Amino acid sequence: QAAGSSNLKRVSLELGGKSPLIIFADTDLDAVVEKAHTALFENMGQNCCAGSRTFVEESIYEEFVKKSIARANRRAVGHGFDLDVEQGPQVDKEQFDKILGLIQSGKEEGAQLGCGGGRHGDKGYFVQPTVFYDVQDNMRIAKEEIFGPVQSIIKFKSIEEAIDRANNTTYGLAAGVFTKDIDKALTIANS
């Protein structure tokens, strides 16, 4: 106790994140598209708990992708104090450049770009809301923390596959599951 009292230091930990969202076919598709959008794009994607790996069950994958692209295309980008704006700039040039570099890597590694993928406007550090689909686990956009408005949508076939792939990360800060089946949800939560 004496050592703890005299040696205790205030620290701040950066835990990072590539938080998975696992979305099953039995959900309300329109509602879950909005929730997944918010989980990633809130605060310009600059959130350690951002749902940046969106795993979607195969049977609803194509429709989810279409609706997610449409939602991202409606996202209002601009001055952060404008009440009609949903997304302001990234925090600084270093982060802006990092995000654009990771977007470029997604294109080069074969992910399909649904929308966005570049700078918004010609001033400031604004990044277009970006949606990638057909993302593979070995791609940088699926492995590295982007900390920006870049959604990676990944297809899965079974609950076992979703669990294995969602847990295949060096991070582990948060996760989410969308299903109407409580047994499925508890299996995921306990895995």
Side-chain angles (χ1 to χ4, degrees):
Q1 186 176 21
S5 296
S6 64
N7 293 324
L8 190 61
K9 306 288 187 236
R10 289 186 177 270
V11 297
S12 177
L13 301 176
E14 168 49 56
L15 301 175
K18 281 306 287 181
S19 300
L21 296 179
I22 301 173
I23 299 169
F24 288 94
D26 64 351
T27 60
D28 175 333
L29 189 58
D30 290 328
V32 79
V33 164
E34 187 61 33
K35 290 184 186 312
H37 179 85
T38 301
L40 183 276
F41 290 100
E42 189 73 23
N43 198 39
M44 292 67 70
Q46 298 172 131
N47 179 341
C48 295
C49 295
S52 56
R53 291 184 302 145
T54 308
F55 291 92
V56 180
E57 195 167 12
E58 184 176 45
S59 64
I60 62 166
Y61 185 81
E62 287 183 24
E63 190 65 22
F64 182 91
V65 167
K66 287 179 195 171
K67 288 178 179 275
S68 294
I69 291 167
R71 176 60 181 98
N73 279 326
R74 289 192 310 270
R75 188 165 184 81
V77 180
H79 193 287
F81 291 119
D82 183 336
L83 296 178
D84 294 326
V85 165
E86 295 176 279
Q87 178 178 314
Q90 302 312 126
V91 68
D92 59 23
K93 183 173 181 356
E94 180 180 356
Q95 186 60 30
F96 173 79
D97 290 340
K98 176 186 173 190
I99 294 165
L100 293 180
L102 283 162
I103 289 172
Q104 185 60 36
S105 79
K107 295 174 187 176
E108 291 171 0
E109 291 178 338
Q112 298 301 307
L113 180 63
C115 67
R119 175 187 204 121
H120 175 83
D122 58 2
K123 292 182 186 174
Y125 304 127
F126 297 91
V127 175
Q128 297 169 343
T130 300
V131 175
F132 280 106
Y133 62 99
D134 291 344
V135 175
Q136 303 303 312
D137 297 333
N138 62 340
M139 294 177 177
R140 289 181 63 204
I141 59 172
K143 294 189 306 187
E144 296 179 28
E145 184 180 44
I146 300 173
F147 217 63
V150 182
Q151 185 178 37
S152 296
I153 307 177
I154 305 165
K155 186 186 307 180
F156 75 89
K157 293 180 182 180
S158 70
I159 188 171
E160 296 80 15
E161 176 191 356
I163 291 168
D164 287 345
R165 293 172 73 195
N167 285 330
N168 185 18
T169 180
T170 56
Y171 302 104
L173 196 54
V177 61
F178 294 92
T179 180
K180 293 179 182 175
D181 183 335
I182 191 66
D183 291 327
K184 229 184 257 185
L186 289 172
T187 297
I188 297 272
N190 290 316
S191 297

